[in-house]
Coordinates of all heavy atoms in Angstrom, one line a residue:
Chain K
Q400 N -2.3 16.3 -15.4 CA -3.3 17.3 -14.9 C -2.9 18.7 -15.2 O -3.8 19.6 -15.5 CB -3.5 17.1 -13.4 CG -4.3 18.1 -12.7 CD -4.4 17.8 -11.2 OE1 -4.3 16.7 -10.7 NE2 -4.7 18.9 -10.4
K401 N -1.6 19.0 -15.1 CA -1.1 20.3 -15.3 C -0.9 20.6 -16.8 O -0.5 21.7 -17.2 CB 0.2 20.5 -14.6 CG 0.2 20.3 -13.1 CD -0.4 21.5 -12.4 CE -0.4 21.2 -10.9 NZ -1.5 22.0 -10.2
G402 N -1.0 19.6 -17.6 CA -0.6 19.7 -19.0 C 0.9 19.9 -19.2 O 1.4 20.5 -20.2
S403 N 1.7 19.4 -18.2 CA 3.1 19.5 -18.3 C 3.7 18.2 -18.8 O 3.1 17.1 -18.6 CB 3.7 19.8 -16.9 OG 3.3 21.0 -16.5
P404 N 4.9 18.2 -19.4 CA 5.4 16.9 -19.9 C 5.9 16.0 -18.8 O 6.1 14.8 -19.0 CB 6.6 17.4 -20.8 CG 6.9 18.7 -20.4 CD 5.7 19.3 -19.8
F405 N 6.3 16.5 -17.6 CA 6.8 15.7 -16.6 C 6.8 16.5 -15.3 O 6.5 17.7 -15.3 CB 8.3 15.3 -16.8 CG 9.2 16.6 -17.0 CD1 9.7 17.2 -15.8 CD2 9.5 17.1 -18.2 CE1 10.5 18.3 -15.9 CE2 10.3 18.2 -18.3 CZ 10.8 18.8 -17.2
V406 N 7.0 15.8 -14.2 CA 7.2 16.4 -12.9 C 8.4 15.8 -12.2 O 8.6 14.6 -12.4 CB 6.0 16.4 -11.9 CG1 4.8 17.2 -12.5 CG2 5.7 15.0 -11.5
P407 N 9.2 16.5 -11.5 CA 10.4 16.0 -10.8 C 9.9 15.3 -9.5 O 8.9 15.7 -8.9 CB 11.3 17.2 -10.5 CG 10.4 18.3 -10.6 CD 9.2 18.0 -11.4
M408 N 10.6 14.3 -9.0 CA 10.2 13.6 -7.8 C 11.5 13.1 -7.0 O 12.4 12.6 -7.6 CB 9.4 12.4 -8.2 CG 8.7 11.7 -7.0 SD 7.8 10.2 -7.5 CE 8.7 9.1 -6.5
R409 N 11.4 13.3 -5.7 CA 12.5 12.8 -4.8 C 12.4 11.3 -4.7 O 11.5 10.7 -5.1 CB 12.4 13.5 -3.5 CG 12.7 15.0 -3.5 CD 14.1 15.2 -3.9 NE 14.6 16.5 -3.6 CZ 15.8 17.0 -4.1 NH1 16.6 16.2 -4.8 NH2 16.2 18.2 -3.8
G410 N 13.4 10.8 -4.0 CA 13.5 9.3 -3.8 C 14.0 8.6 -5.1 O 14.5 9.2 -6.0
L411 N 13.8 7.3 -5.1 CA 14.0 6.5 -6.3 C 15.4 6.2 -6.7 O 15.7 5.2 -7.3 CB 13.3 7.1 -7.5 CG 11.8 6.8 -7.6 CD1 11.1 7.6 -8.7 CD2 11.5 5.3 -7.8
I412 N 16.3 7.1 -6.4 CA 17.7 7.0 -6.9 C 18.4 5.8 -6.2 O 18.4 5.7 -5.0 CB 18.5 8.3 -6.8 CG1 17.9 9.3 -7.7 CG2 20.0 8.1 -7.0 CD1 18.3 10.7 -7.5
G413 N 19.0 4.9 -7.0 CA 19.6 3.7 -6.5 C 18.7 2.5 -6.4 O 19.1 1.4 -5.9
T414 N 17.4 2.7 -6.8 CA 16.5 1.6 -6.7 C 16.5 0.8 -8.0 O 16.8 1.4 -9.1 CB 15.0 2.0 -6.4 OG1 14.6 2.8 -7.6 CG2 14.9 2.9 -5.2
D415 N 16.1 -0.5 -8.0 CA 15.9 -1.2 -9.2 C 14.6 -0.8 -9.9 O 14.4 -1.1 -11.1 CB 15.9 -2.7 -8.9 CG 17.4 -3.2 -8.6 OD1 18.3 -2.6 -9.2 OD2 17.6 -4.2 -7.9
V416 N 13.7 -0.2 -9.2 CA 12.5 0.4 -9.8 C 12.9 1.4 -10.8 O 12.5 1.3 -12.0 CB 11.6 1.1 -8.7 CG1 10.3 1.6 -9.4 CG2 11.2 0.1 -7.6
L417 N 13.8 2.3 -10.5 CA 14.3 3.3 -11.4 C 15.1 2.6 -12.5 O 14.9 3.0 -13.7 CB 15.1 4.3 -10.7 CG 15.9 5.4 -11.6 CD1 14.9 6.2 -12.3 CD2 16.8 6.2 -10.7
R418 N 16.0 1.7 -12.2 CA 16.9 1.1 -13.1 C 16.1 0.4 -14.3 O 16.6 0.3 -15.4 CB 17.7 0.0 -12.4 CG 18.9 -0.4 -13.2 CD 20.0 -1.1 -12.3 NE 19.4 -2.3 -11.7 CZ 19.5 -3.5 -12.3 NH1 19.9 -3.6 -13.5 NH2 19.0 -4.6 -11.7
H419 N 14.9 -0.1 -14.0 CA 14.1 -0.8 -15.0 C 13.1 0.1 -15.7 O 12.4 -0.4 -16.6 CB 13.4 -2.0 -14.4 CG 14.3 -3.1 -14.0 ND1 14.8 -4.0 -14.9 CD2 14.8 -3.5 -12.8 CE1 15.6 -4.9 -14.3 NE2 15.6 -4.6 -13.0
R420 N 13.2 1.4 -15.5 CA 12.2 2.3 -16.1 C 13.0 3.1 -17.1 O 13.6 4.2 -16.8 CB 11.5 3.2 -15.1 CG 10.6 2.4 -14.2 CD 9.4 1.8 -14.9 NE 8.6 2.8 -15.6 CZ 7.4 3.2 -15.3 NH1 6.7 2.5 -14.3 NH2 6.7 4.1 -15.9
D421 N 13.0 2.7 -18.4 CA 13.7 3.5 -19.4 C 12.9 4.7 -19.8 O 13.4 5.6 -20.6 CB 14.0 2.6 -20.7 CG 12.8 2.0 -21.3 OD1 11.6 2.4 -20.9 OD2 12.9 1.2 -22.2
D422 N 11.7 4.9 -19.3 CA 10.9 6.1 -19.6 C 11.1 7.2 -18.6 O 10.6 8.3 -18.7 CB 9.4 5.8 -19.8 CG 8.8 5.0 -18.6 OD1 9.6 4.4 -17.8 OD2 7.6 5.1 -18.4
W423 N 11.8 6.9 -17.5 CA 12.1 7.9 -16.5 C 13.5 8.5 -16.7 O 14.4 7.8 -17.3 CB 12.0 7.3 -15.1 CG 10.6 6.9 -14.7 CD1 9.5 7.1 -15.4 CD2 10.2 6.2 -13.5 NE1 8.4 6.5 -14.7 CE2 8.8 6.0 -13.5 CE3 10.9 5.7 -12.4 CZ2 8.1 5.3 -12.5 CZ3 10.2 5.1 -11.4 CH2 8.8 4.9 -11.4
R424 N 13.7 9.7 -16.3 CA 15.1 10.3 -16.5 C 15.6 10.9 -15.1 O 14.8 11.2 -14.3 CB 14.9 11.5 -17.4 CG 14.5 11.2 -18.8 CD 15.7 10.6 -19.6 NE 15.2 10.3 -21.0 CZ 14.6 9.1 -21.3 NH1 14.4 8.2 -20.4 NH2 14.2 8.9 -22.6
V425 N 16.9 10.9 -15.0 CA 17.5 11.6 -13.9 C 18.3 12.8 -14.4 O 19.1 12.7 -15.3 CB 18.5 10.6 -13.1 CG1 19.1 11.3 -11.9 CG2 17.7 9.4 -12.7
I426 N 18.0 14.0 -13.8 CA 18.8 15.2 -14.1 C 19.3 15.8 -12.8 O 18.9 15.4 -11.7 CB 17.9 16.3 -14.8 CG1 16.8 16.7 -13.9 CG2 17.4 15.7 -16.2 CD1 16.2 18.1 -14.3
D427 N 20.3 16.7 -13.0 CA 20.7 17.4 -11.8 C 19.8 18.6 -11.6 O 19.4 19.3 -12.6 CB 22.2 17.9 -12.0 CG 23.2 16.8 -11.8 OD1 22.8 15.8 -11.2 OD2 24.4 17.0 -12.1
N428 N 19.4 18.8 -10.4 CA 18.5 19.9 -10.1 C 19.1 21.2 -10.6 O 20.1 21.7 -10.1 CB 18.3 20.0 -8.5 CG 17.6 21.2 -8.0 OD1 17.1 22.0 -8.8 ND2 17.6 21.4 -6.7
P429 N 18.4 21.8 -11.6 CA 19.0 23.0 -12.2 C 19.0 24.2 -11.3 O 19.7 25.2 -11.5 CB 18.1 23.3 -13.4 CG 16.8 22.6 -13.1 CD 17.1 21.5 -12.2
F430 N 18.3 24.2 -10.1 CA 18.3 25.3 -9.2 C 19.3 25.1 -8.1 O 19.4 26.0 -7.2 CB 16.9 25.4 -8.6 CG 15.9 25.8 -9.6 CD1 15.0 24.8 -10.2 CD2 15.8 27.1 -10.1 CE1 14.1 25.1 -11.1 CE2 14.8 27.4 -11.1 CZ 14.0 26.4 -11.6
A431 N 20.0 24.0 -8.0 CA 21.0 23.8 -7.0 C 22.4 24.3 -7.6 O 22.5 24.6 -8.7 CB 21.1 22.3 -6.7
D432 N 23.4 24.3 -6.7 CA 24.7 24.8 -7.1 C 25.5 23.8 -7.8 O 26.7 23.9 -8.1 CB 25.5 25.3 -5.9 CG 24.8 26.6 -5.3 OD1 24.2 27.3 -6.0 OD2 25.0 26.8 -4.1
G433 N 24.9 22.7 -8.1 CA 25.6 21.6 -8.7 C 25.2 20.3 -8.1 O 24.9 20.3 -6.9
G434 N 25.2 19.2 -8.8 CA 24.8 17.9 -8.3 C 23.3 17.9 -8.0 O 22.5 18.4 -8.7
D435 N 23.0 17.2 -6.9 CA 21.6 17.0 -6.5 C 20.7 16.4 -7.6 O 19.8 17.0 -8.2 CB 20.9 18.4 -6.1 CG 19.6 18.1 -5.4 OD1 19.3 17.0 -5.0 OD2 18.8 19.1 -5.2
P436 N 21.0 15.1 -7.9 CA 20.2 14.4 -8.9 C 18.7 14.2 -8.5 O 18.5 14.0 -7.3 CB 20.9 13.0 -9.0 CG 21.6 12.9 -7.7 CD 22.0 14.2 -7.3
I437 N 17.9 14.3 -9.5 CA 16.4 14.2 -9.2 C 15.8 13.5 -10.4 O 16.2 13.7 -11.5 CB 15.8 15.5 -8.8 CG1 14.3 15.3 -8.4 CG2 15.9 16.5 -10.0 CD1 13.8 16.5 -7.6
V438 N 14.8 12.7 -10.1 CA 14.1 11.9 -11.1 C 13.0 12.7 -11.8 O 12.2 13.3 -11.1 CB 13.6 10.5 -10.5 CG1 12.9 9.7 -11.6 CG2 14.7 9.8 -9.9
L439 N 12.8 12.5 -13.1 CA 11.7 13.1 -13.8 C 10.7 12.0 -14.2 O 11.1 11.0 -14.8 CB 12.2 13.9 -15.1 CG 13.2 14.9 -14.9 CD1 13.6 15.6 -16.2 CD2 12.8 16.0 -13.8
I440 N 9.5 12.2 -13.8 CA 8.4 11.3 -14.1 C 7.6 11.9 -15.3 O 7.0 13.0 -15.1 CB 7.5 11.0 -12.9 CG1 8.3 10.6 -11.7 CG2 6.5 9.9 -13.3 CD1 9.0 9.3 -11.8
P441 N 7.5 11.2 -16.4 CA 6.7 11.8 -17.5 C 5.2 11.7 -17.2 O 4.8 10.9 -16.4 CB 7.1 10.9 -18.7 CG 7.5 9.6 -18.1 CD 8.1 9.9 -16.8
A442 N 4.5 12.6 -17.9 CA 3.0 12.6 -17.7 C 2.4 11.3 -18.1 O 2.8 10.6 -19.0 CB 2.4 13.7 -18.6
I443 N 1.5 10.8 -17.3 CA 0.7 9.6 -17.6 C -0.7 10.1 -18.1 O -1.4 10.8 -17.3 CB 0.5 8.8 -16.3 CG1 1.9 8.3 -15.8 CG2 -0.4 7.6 -16.6 CD1 1.8 7.5 -14.4
R444 N -1.0 9.8 -19.3 CA -2.2 10.2 -19.9 C -3.1 9.0 -20.4 O -3.0 8.6 -21.5 CB -1.9 11.1 -21.2 CG -1.2 12.4 -20.9 CD -1.2 13.3 -22.1 NE -0.4 14.5 -21.8 CZ 1.0 14.5 -22.0 NH1 1.6 13.4 -22.4 NH2 1.6 15.6 -21.7
P445 N -3.9 8.5 -19.4 CA -4.7 7.4 -19.8 C -5.8 7.7 -20.8 O -6.2 8.9 -20.9 CB -5.3 7.0 -18.4 CG -4.5 7.7 -17.4 CD -4.0 8.9 -18.0
D446 N -6.2 6.8 -21.6 CA -7.3 7.0 -22.5 C -8.6 7.1 -21.7 O -9.5 7.9 -22.0 CB -7.4 5.9 -23.5 CG -6.2 5.9 -24.5 OD1 -6.0 6.9 -25.1 OD2 -5.4 4.9 -24.5
I447 N -8.8 6.2 -20.7 CA -10.0 6.1 -20.0 C -9.7 5.8 -18.5 O -8.9 4.9 -18.2 CB -10.9 5.0 -20.5 CG1 -11.2 5.2 -22.0 CG2 -12.2 4.9 -19.7 CD1 -12.2 4.2 -22.6
A448 N -10.4 6.6 -17.6 CA -10.4 6.3 -16.2 C -11.7 5.7 -15.9 O -12.7 6.1 -16.4 CB -10.2 7.6 -15.4
I449 N -11.7 4.6 -15.0 CA -12.9 3.9 -14.6 C -13.0 3.8 -13.1 O -12.0 3.3 -12.5 CB -13.0 2.5 -15.3 CG1 -12.9 2.7 -16.8 CG2 -14.3 1.8 -14.9 CD1 -12.7 1.3 -17.5
F450 N -14.0 4.3 -12.5 CA -14.2 4.1 -11.0 C -15.6 4.1 -10.6 O -16.5 4.4 -11.4 CB -13.3 5.2 -10.3 CG -13.8 6.6 -10.5 CD1 -14.8 7.2 -9.8 CD2 -13.1 7.4 -11.4 CE1 -15.2 8.5 -10.0 CE2 -13.5 8.8 -11.6 CZ -14.5 9.3 -10.9
H451 N -15.8 3.8 -9.3 CA -17.1 3.8 -8.7 C -17.2 4.8 -7.6 O -16.3 4.9 -6.8 CB -17.4 2.3 -8.2 CG -18.8 2.1 -7.7 ND1 -19.9 2.0 -8.5 CD2 -19.3 2.0 -6.4 CE1 -21.0 1.8 -7.8 NE2 -20.6 1.8 -6.5
A452 N -18.4 5.5 -7.5 CA -18.5 6.5 -6.4 C -19.9 6.4 -5.8 O -20.8 5.8 -6.4 CB -18.3 7.9 -7.1
P453 N -20.1 7.0 -4.7 CA -21.4 6.9 -4.0 C -22.5 7.6 -4.8 O -23.6 7.0 -4.9 CB -21.2 7.7 -2.7 CG -19.7 7.6 -2.4 CD -19.1 7.7 -3.8
M454 N -22.3 8.8 -5.4 CA -23.4 9.4 -6.1 C -23.0 10.4 -7.2 O -21.9 10.9 -7.2 CB -24.4 10.1 -5.1 CG -23.8 11.3 -4.4 SD -25.0 12.1 -3.3 CE -24.0 12.9 -2.1
A455 N -23.9 10.5 -8.1 CA -23.8 11.5 -9.2 C -25.1 12.3 -9.2 O -26.1 11.8 -8.6 CB -23.6 10.9 -10.5
D456 N -25.2 13.4 -9.8 CA -26.4 14.1 -10.0 C -26.9 13.9 -11.4 O -26.1 13.4 -12.3 CB -26.4 15.6 -9.5 CG -25.4 16.4 -10.4 OD1 -25.1 16.0 -11.5 OD2 -25.0 17.5 -9.9
R457 N -28.1 14.4 -11.7 CA -28.6 14.1 -13.1 C -27.9 15.1 -14.1 O -28.2 15.0 -15.3 CB -30.1 14.2 -13.1 CG -30.7 15.5 -12.7 CD -32.2 15.3 -12.6 NE -32.8 16.6 -12.1 CZ -33.2 17.6 -12.9 NH1 -33.1 17.4 -14.2 NH2 -33.7 18.7 -12.4
F458 N -27.0 15.9 -13.6 CA -26.3 16.8 -14.6 C -24.9 16.3 -14.9 O -24.2 16.9 -15.6 CB -26.2 18.2 -13.9 CG -27.5 18.8 -13.4 CD1 -27.8 18.7 -12.1 CD2 -28.5 19.2 -14.3 CE1 -29.0 19.2 -11.6 CE2 -29.7 19.7 -13.8 CZ -30.0 19.7 -12.5

Side-chain angles (χ1 to χ4, degrees):
Chain K
Q400 171 181 335
K401 303 284 182 205
S403 297
F405 61 83
V406 298
M408 191 187 120
R409 290 300 193 185
L411 280 170
I412 291 168
T414 66
D415 285 332
V416 180
L417 172 64
R418 196 162 65 82
H419 288 283
R420 292 295 300 247
D421 56 9
D422 55 334
W423 294 354
R424 297 281 180 277
V425 180
I426 62 161
D427 281 346
N428 172 6
F430 297 101
D432 292 334
D435 192 16
I437 189 162
V438 179
L439 305 183
I440 307 292
I443 298 173
R444 295 190 187 84
D446 294 298
I447 303 184
I449 303 172
F450 62 82
H451 186 72
M454 65 179 157
D456 64 22
R457 61 191 176 85
F458 310 101

